[in-house]
Amino acid sequence: MSRLRSARLLLLCLVVFTCLPMLRAQANTWQPSPGHTQIPIWPGKIPDALPAKGPERMETTTDPKYFIGGKPSSGIENVSRPTMTVYSPKGNNTGVAVVVFPGGGFMELAIDLEGTEVCDWLTTRGITCIVLKYRVPAPRSKPYWGAYPGSPIALDDAQRTMGLVRQHAAEWKINPHKIGVLGFSAGGHMVAAMSVHFDKRIYPRVDAADDLSCRPDFAVALYPGHLGFKEGTLELNPDIASHINAQTPPTFLLQNENDNVDSIWDALSYEAALIKAKVPVEFHSYAEGAHAFGLRPTKYPATAWPHLVEVWLHTIGMLN
């Protein structure tokens, strides 16, 4: 081998070795399916920004014993640059839109199980789906464990996203009066927080999108957490309880009695407060089904909830 060829081979090896960490990092970051683009929700400085705990990365389960509905699932960690991804309807467009908040305990985001798979369902029903990749992890301390008002970052991102969706309603063929929110677990708490914190932004105004209402027109909270304040009672999270009023949007709740992550008392306490405020609420509970199943069918009847939500959307006049 000539000296020139050896030098070139050595240089190529050095380039590959240098770029390997970058390639690995890129492979471990989440990207939406082809044809969809992540849209940054903050044009400049991000309010309440925290130092990044590390590069954003995606982890996927590989052990079949942790599969859900027979399939692996993926979670995103260390999100410091929040984005939204818009999935437009397939075929008929009803004008209805849903902003989706994946769960993950305010530590990570269950991006497929409780995010993009929701869009796979909604878009076939003529509904625009917007997945919010909100900031995680949030600082965790009692009694809120990452939820607002203990940490404002997730609610900052959610309020901002709702304003942006209304700002782009005409472009995305959305009825600005038919935009709802749907979330799971910690994302279910965000549904409740958005349902009561809509009279003003919790962050300083950025642009015209923040002049538009961030009130959801309907709300769907599935196995929500951080709502019950005392196990075994109907005592509601004080922040949520102090802001519920008759303008809180119609709400759909679902939770299983054997959920050992977010207790049945979370949904029960919120339902009781909604009833007291005369807010329309539909609550479904089941003896079994546990936690974190998303839309994946299992042997438990709770996983039939998408059909129940579709019927409910018709009853409240969102779907014709």
Side-chain angles (χ1 to χ4, degrees):
M1 183 181 294
S2 69
R3 290 184 179 180
L4 179 60
R5 187 177 177 187
S6 297
R8 285 176 176 172
L9 183 59
L10 178 60
L11 178 62
L12 177 61
C13 291
L14 287 172
V15 169
V16 171
F17 181 79
T18 302
C19 292
L20 190 58
M22 184 186 304
L23 294 173
R24 184 181 296 116
Q26 289 173 345
N28 285 338
T29 58
W30 176 77
Q31 293 296 330
S33 56
H36 304 96
T37 303
Q38 296 189 71
I39 304 169
I41 65 171
W42 302 103
K45 183 179 178 181
I46 299 176
D48 302 307
L50 300 170
K53 291 185 176 295
E56 182 179 317
R57 63 176 185 167
M58 184 176 72
E59 297 262 339
T60 301
T61 55
T62 56
D63 189 336
K65 73 179 180 181
Y66 296 114
F67 286 3
I68 300 170
K71 297 192 295 183
S73 55
S74 299
I76 307 177
E77 302 174 343
N78 299 330
V79 177
S80 59
R81 306 293 299 183
T83 67
M84 62 179 179
T85 304
V86 181
Y87 295 78
S88 298
K90 299 171 183 175
N92 176 54
N93 187 338
T94 63
V96 178
V98 175
V99 179
V100 175
F101 308 134
F106 295 108
M107 296 296 291
E108 62 177 3
L109 302 179
I111 194 65
D112 51 3
L113 177 71
E114 298 172 348
T116 57
E117 291 176 16
V118 181
C119 294
D120 294 339
W121 159 56
L122 290 174
T123 55
T124 62
R125 300 303 190 269
I127 298 171
T128 300
C129 180
I130 301 96
V131 173
L132 174 60
K133 189 179 78 174
Y134 56 93
R135 284 173 283 169
V136 290
R140 291 173 59 83
S141 60
K142 292 182 179 181
Y144 298 104
W145 297 112
Y148 184 80
S151 170
I153 59 176
L155 187 55
D156 284 340
D157 297 345
Q159 287 187 332
R160 172 71 179 168
T161 298
M162 183 61 76
L164 287 168
V165 173
R166 286 205 162 94
Q167 186 181 51
H168 291 277
E171 176 187 349
W172 295 339
K173 297 179 174 57
I174 292 169
N175 183 331
H177 305 295
K178 291 188 174 184
I179 303 173
V181 289
L182 183 154
F184 304 81
S185 194
H189 179 274
M190 289 174 63
V191 166
M194 285 287 288
S195 296
V196 300
H197 290 289
F198 54 79
D199 56 337
K200 62 180 180 180
R201 299 296 202 272
I202 64 168
Y203 57 86
R205 180 186 184 277
V206 174
D207 54 31
D210 296 328
D211 298 329
L212 300 172
S213 172
C214 63
R215 176 188 178 273
D217 295 299
F218 59 91
V220 179
L222 303 148
Y223 41 91
H226 310 269
L227 292 177
F229 211 65
K230 187 176 181 181
E231 185 78 13
T233 77
L234 295 180
E235 186 177 349
L236 184 63
N237 176 319
D239 176 69
I240 302 294
S242 62
H243 289 88
I244 290 177
N245 59 45
Q247 298 306 310
T248 298
T251 300
F252 180 101
L253 297 169
L254 179 139
Q255 203 148 14
N256 293 318
E257 294 168 17
N258 72 336
D259 188 329
N260 62 359
V261 177
D262 291 315
S263 165
I264 185 71
W265 296 98
D266 284 289
L268 284 170
S269 60
Y270 191 43
E271 181 204 26
L274 291 171
I275 291 172
K276 185 176 180 180
K278 298 184 171 17
V279 174
V281 57
E282 180 165 327
F283 177 37
H284 294 263
S285 68
Y286 298 89
E288 297 182 277
H291 189 79
F293 43 85
L295 284 84
R296 298 182 185 179
T298 71
K299 65 180 181 179
Y300 299 110
T303 57
W305 66 263
H307 173 70
L308 299 175
V309 168
E310 289 179 48
V311 172
W312 176 74
L313 288 173
H314 282 280
T315 65
I316 64 171
M318 289 292 120
L319 288 176
N320 298 325

